[in-house]
């Protein structure tokens, strides 16, 4: 790993949601193909779609529709969503599509490998803090303990076509849903024959192919201390998902203390593992999303152990003291600001 001591981000970038894309100023596109762009709001975030090549406009229309479909299926709050059916089935089996099974299996795999740092059954705790209703509150310790009784991903049974969760257990695919959506739409864009594309769902970025001039994409990592314009550094990637989780993305303040939306399932409190953000670079969007949440909960040391043991991804960690740590595979592609 490489450690950059107390590196303070200084460069102010124009747009910064959580991860920002740079289309290099030198990359002047000389081909005949079209560039298409589309913006929409779905899955509780701003979604930006960019595609190059023939069929781009039609492909982005289909992609936007697909994202809205996935939102309806995976939302915890939509009455008829598959997830809501699972959560209200009182222990009965619910038949669901691959759009639930694939992200759920990925999430459970990461749960197992991370010792439960990622746990889709933490939803009742997330609700208790008000992150779903946006009616924020600090729950009493005793309330958290009672809710944690039902939190355990091992309570979920996943079959070939359906899911069972015991009565009182509720799931939330929020930690992997945007990454799964970006994976699905990038596969659609590839199939439709576009030459290059970038999808950005809040902090989740995923790319297809190359930039029109043949060069790689540059993705900026948001400075957790200055998310409205600062950047910690940039990553140069080919086809990859680049996903950031951080305590700065969604939080509220009470009595001068900040409470964010990534919960440590072992305590019921917002994770406090010494990290401000974790960025994952991985070929698969769903895993990138699940891992960014899981490793944020684990903290740097355990996250590095996870990386060493299982691999399959690279990461950039920003610690509470501003130190930036990069896994070896990103040594040549990460440029600090
Ligand atoms: P975001 O979706 O805001 O980009 P994440 O991918 O890190 O951020 O997912 C955070 C969301 O996942 C929370 O809003 C909550 O719904 C859910 N969540 C919070 N903590 C956990 C956890 N430890 N395991 C699984 N899901 C979690
Ligand atoms: Mg995530």
């Amino acid at each position: 790993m490489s450690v950059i001591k107390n590196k303070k981000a200084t460069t102010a970038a124009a747009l910064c949601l959580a991860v920002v894309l740079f289309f290099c100023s030198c990359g002047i596109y000389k081909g005949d193909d079209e560039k298409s762009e589309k913006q929409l709001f779905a899955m509780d975030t701003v979604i930006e779609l960019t595609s190059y090549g023939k069929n781009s406009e039609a492909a982005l229309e289909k992609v936007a529709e697909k994202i809205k479909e996935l939102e309806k299926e995976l939302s915890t709050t939509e009455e008829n969503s598959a997830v809501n059916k699972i959560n209200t089935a009182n222990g009965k089996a619910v038949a669901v599509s691959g759009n639930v099974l694939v992200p759920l299996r990925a999430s459970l795999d990461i749960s197992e490998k991370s010792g439960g740092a990622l746990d889709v059954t933490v939803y009742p705790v997330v609700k208790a803090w008000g992150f779903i209703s946006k009616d924020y509150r600090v729950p009493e310790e005793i309330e958290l303990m009672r809710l944690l009784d039902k939190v355990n991903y091992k309570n979920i049974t996943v079959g070939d076509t359906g899911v069972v969760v015991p009565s009182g257990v509720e799931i939330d695919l929020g930690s992997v849903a945007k990454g799964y959506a970006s994976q699905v739409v990038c596969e659609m864009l590839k199939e439709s024959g576009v030459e290059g594309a970038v999808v950005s769902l809040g902090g989740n970025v995923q790319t297809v192919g190359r930039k029109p001039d043949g060069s790689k994409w540059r993705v900026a990592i948001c400075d957790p201390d200055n998310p409205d314009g600062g950047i910690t550094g940039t990553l140069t990637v080919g086809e990859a998902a680049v996903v950031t989780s951080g305590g700065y993305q969604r939080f509220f303040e009470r009595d001068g203390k900040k409470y964010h939306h990534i919960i440590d399932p072992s305590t019921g409190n917002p994770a406090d593992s010494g990290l401000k953000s974790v960025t994952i670079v991985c070929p698969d969007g769903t895993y990138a999303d699940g891992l960014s949440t899981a490793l944020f909960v684990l903290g740097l040391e355990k996250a590095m152990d996870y990386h060493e043991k299982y691999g399959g991804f690279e990461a950039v960690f920003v610690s509470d003291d501003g130190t930036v740590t990069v896994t070896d595979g990103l040594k040549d592609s990460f440029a600090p600001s």
Side-chain angles (χ1 to χ4, degrees):
M1 67 170 155
S2 308
V3 178
I4 301 151
K5 274 278 170 208
N6 295 326
K7 188 81 192 77
K8 272 270 162 210
T10 48
T11 314
L15 304 145
C16 196
L17 295 169
V19 179
V20 181
L21 276 160
F22 287 93
F23 295 96
C24 280
S25 53
C26 55
I28 298 164
Y29 180 46
K30 297 199 185 70
D32 299 327
D33 292 337
E34 312 145 21
K35 173 183 178 183
S36 295
E37 288 171 297
K38 195 167 173 64
Q39 241 200 33
L40 63 148
F41 188 87
M43 305 182 99
D44 211 17
T45 195
V46 176
I47 297 179
E48 289 173 308
L49 310 166
T50 308
S51 178
Y52 298 92
K54 293 202 173 70
N55 307 325
S56 277
E57 203 174 326
L60 290 191
E61 287 300 321
K62 281 192 189 152
V63 158
E65 274 171 34
K66 176 57 86 179
I67 291 172
K68 287 185 193 149
E69 251 175 69
L70 291 174
E71 177 183 35
K72 281 203 183 119
E73 210 167 343
L74 299 176
S75 159
T76 49
T77 49
E78 289 251 356
E79 208 181 318
N80 288 317
S81 76
V83 170
N84 205 25
K85 282 181 187 154
I86 292 169
N87 288 345
T88 54
N90 280 318
K92 291 199 199 80
V94 177
V96 290
S97 78
N99 291 331
V100 173
L101 294 172
V102 172
L104 183 54
R105 286 197 189 108
S107 163
L108 294 174
D109 179 37
I110 298 169
S111 297
E112 200 64 51
K113 291 172 177 163
S114 67
L118 189 73
D119 192 323
V120 289
T121 65
V122 82
Y123 185 55
V125 180
V126 174
K127 275 198 293 192
W129 284 92
F131 285 110
I132 305 301
S133 63
K134 306 214 160 74
D135 200 357
Y136 302 114
R137 59 191 278 275
V138 179
E140 298 278 337
E141 199 59 28
I142 184 127
E143 181 184 352
L144 291 176
M145 290 304 124
R146 192 174 47 75
L147 292 171
L148 284 175
D149 258 4
K150 298 263 181 173
V151 174
N152 190 344
Y153 66 93
K154 290 180 181 162
N155 287 330
I156 305 171
T157 312
V158 184
D160 288 341
T161 56
V163 177
V164 190
V165 301
S167 184
V169 172
E170 291 179 280
I171 67 162
D172 160 26
L173 290 169
S175 58
V176 284
K178 280 183 275 170
Y180 174 69
S182 74
Q183 179 66 29
V184 167
V185 303
C186 282
E187 282 165 17
M188 280 173 72
L189 286 163
K190 262 178 151 173
E191 270 171 33
S192 68
V194 304
E195 279 158 30
V198 181
V199 302
S200 167
L201 292 80
N204 293 46
V205 172
Q206 193 164 348
T207 62
V208 172
R210 291 286 171 107
K211 279 165 62 182
D213 66 357
S215 64
K216 291 185 170 181
W217 308 95
R218 283 179 73 206
V219 182
I221 297 174
C222 207
D223 175 3
D225 291 327
N226 184 14
D228 294 326
I231 61 171
T232 289
T234 58
L235 285 162
T236 305
V237 297
E239 215 167 68
V242 183
V243 176
T244 299
S245 282
Y248 65 91
Q249 288 173 335
R250 229 179 314 152
F251 63 87
F252 67 93
E253 282 188 43
R254 275 298 129 82
D255 302 326
K257 198 168 158 20
K258 280 186 181 174
Y259 299 94
H260 63 73
H261 71 307
I262 303 175
I263 303 297
D264 182 340
S266 69
T267 65
N269 288 300
D272 185 17
S273 66
L275 291 174
K276 280 184 182 162
S277 76
V278 177
T279 300
I280 303 289
V281 182
C282 175
D284 182 89
T286 315
Y287 270 87
D289 198 0
L291 283 169
S292 70
T293 310
L295 301 197
F296 182 84
V297 173
L298 283 182
L300 182 60
E301 204 175 316
K302 287 184 185 157
M304 289 307 275
D305 291 344
Y306 188 115
H307 177 256
E308 200 170 306
K309 192 161 177 200
Y310 300 106
F313 67 94
E314 300 298 334
V316 179
F317 304 94
V318 181
S319 296
D320 284 346
D321 67 358
T323 307
V324 179
T325 307
V326 181
T327 54
D328 284 344
L330 292 179
K331 259 199 318 234
D332 297 330
S333 46
F334 176 72
S337 296

